[in-house]
Amino acid sequence: NTREQFSPSLFFRMFNARADRVEVVHNNLLGSKHCVVAFNGFYEWKRDVDPLSKKEVRQPYYLQHDKAHRGPLLFAGLYDEYKNPETGEEMTTYTILTVDSAPGIQWLHDRMPALLTNQDEVDTWLSAKAPRTELCKLLRPVDGSLAWHPVAKAMGSTKVQDESAFAEIKLPKPPPSVKDFWAKKPATVKSEPPLPVKRETAPAVVRQEQQGELVKQEQESSCGAASTLSSPVKQEPGKRSGVTQPRSPPRGTKRPKGQTSLASFFGKPTSKK
């Protein structure tokens, strides 16, 4: 703003201008005095609450082009000239237009500069001859080419003018809170070792027919499948296969010396009169 009551405090308050109010605050500049402000990057402070002290803490972040996009960031701005009535000194001032933050950085801040992404947008904005509807279309959230990282809080001091102002730092882990202590932990399911599988080998089944001529043997093979073995066996009449029994001598034949009968061994039972 170039009013005669210009002051340094007013200058810093007007350093940024909301795009949704530019037609009210800077109506005399919109459509006539446009500029493009080039930056290597910019800072935003993330506000949070310390879990122990419950006080507000702020952490600065540095935003810049990602590795896929080279060159400075180009912001849409407005400029004006100011002449100090007391000293006659002339000063050129500018303001950067801001819009709602893009979805990718809403966690960090609710506002961001209006970023021009290509040469056509830069030429359209600088010409200032396009209809206002076309100019306002350029003032929209853009975050597809941005990357960010935390930096030291010392960057907020004007004394820091070296590369440490935008050097990336590692944030310390926050201390555990009381809520984390009482939070339910997921139940751990203990996995029991699998039970050993007992492999039982079926015993060989031998089936013998008492009066037939076929003997079948079923055995379990090494791969677990039963195999059937069959072999014809001739049997003589009166004989049982696989069994040898002693024959009693026919009646009337004398026993050899030294051989006694079973009945004589136990003796004849005597009856008491």
Side-chain angles (χ1 to χ4, degrees):
N1 199 314
T2 55
R3 297 177 182 178
E4 294 183 358
Q5 61 271 23
F6 177 82
S7 64
S9 61
L10 179 63
F11 170 80
F12 286 105
R13 286 202 305 268
M14 305 300 291
F15 181 78
N16 292 335
R18 294 178 62 99
D20 54 352
R21 300 177 184 176
V22 66
E23 293 182 325
V24 177
V25 181
H26 299 291
N27 187 51
N28 60 324
L29 304 179
L30 185 63
S32 58
K33 294 184 177 181
H34 292 193
C35 67
V36 174
V37 185
F39 279 90
N40 289 329
F42 65 100
Y43 299 92
E44 292 291 0
W45 292 78
K46 183 181 184 300
R47 296 184 179 183
D48 208 343
V49 177
D50 184 85
L52 298 179
S53 64
K54 304 301 181 182
K55 294 182 179 180
E56 183 184 69
V57 292
R58 299 198 305 166
Q59 173 60 49
Y61 283 79
Y62 182 71
L63 296 90
Q64 60 184 341
H65 268 316
D66 56 19
K67 295 181 179 180
H69 299 79
R70 300 294 181 180
L73 300 172
L74 303 178
F75 301 144
L78 301 172
Y79 76 95
D80 202 357
E81 292 88 8
Y82 168 75
K83 185 176 183 178
N84 192 323
E86 297 180 358
T87 62
E89 180 184 3
E90 295 182 356
M91 180 184 297
T92 301
T93 63
Y94 69 90
T95 184
I96 298 174
L97 298 174
T98 63
V99 296
D100 292 335
S101 62
I105 58 175
Q106 286 180 354
W107 62 273
L108 179 58
H109 203 276
D110 60 343
R111 306 288 297 178
M112 68 174 295
L115 182 62
L116 303 175
T117 59
N118 52 59
Q119 190 61 42
D120 292 338
E121 293 182 0
V122 172
D123 294 340
T124 301
W125 180 254
L126 289 178
S127 65
K129 295 179 181 179
R132 288 195 174 185
T133 55
E134 296 296 327
L135 295 174
C136 291
K137 288 181 180 179
L138 301 176
L139 309 178
R140 82 288 188 200
V142 176
D143 69 342
S145 62
L146 294 179
W148 50 84
H149 58 260
V151 295
K153 296 181 180 180
M155 52 74 50
S157 173
T158 56
K159 297 180 180 180
V160 179
Q161 298 293 331
D162 54 10
E163 295 181 355
S164 63
F166 53 86
E168 183 177 3
I169 64 170
K170 291 184 179 181
L171 297 178
K173 293 183 180 180
S177 62
V178 178
K179 293 182 179 180
D180 297 334
F181 180 79
W182 292 105
K184 294 183 178 180
K185 298 181 180 179
T188 56
V189 180
K190 295 182 179 180
S191 60
E192 297 182 355
L195 297 176
V197 179
K198 295 182 179 180
R199 296 185 177 180
E200 296 182 355
T201 304
V205 177
V206 179
R207 183 177 59 189
Q208 297 180 346
E209 297 182 3
Q210 299 295 334
Q211 297 178 354
E213 296 182 355
L214 184 64
V215 177
K216 295 182 179 179
Q217 295 180 351
E218 295 180 358
Q219 296 178 345
E220 187 171 354
S221 62
S222 59
C223 61
S227 61
T228 302
L229 303 177
S230 61
S231 61
V233 178
K234 293 184 180 181
Q235 295 180 351
E236 297 180 2
K239 284 189 176 182
R240 295 182 181 179
S241 60
V243 179
T244 304
Q245 298 179 355
R247 294 185 180 184
S248 60
R251 293 181 181 181
T253 57
K254 295 182 179 181
R255 299 179 182 274
K257 292 181 179 182
Q259 184 178 2
T260 59
S261 64
L262 185 63
S264 63
F265 178 80
F266 288 101
K268 295 182 180 180
T270 58
S271 58
K272 295 180 181 181
K273 292 182 180 182

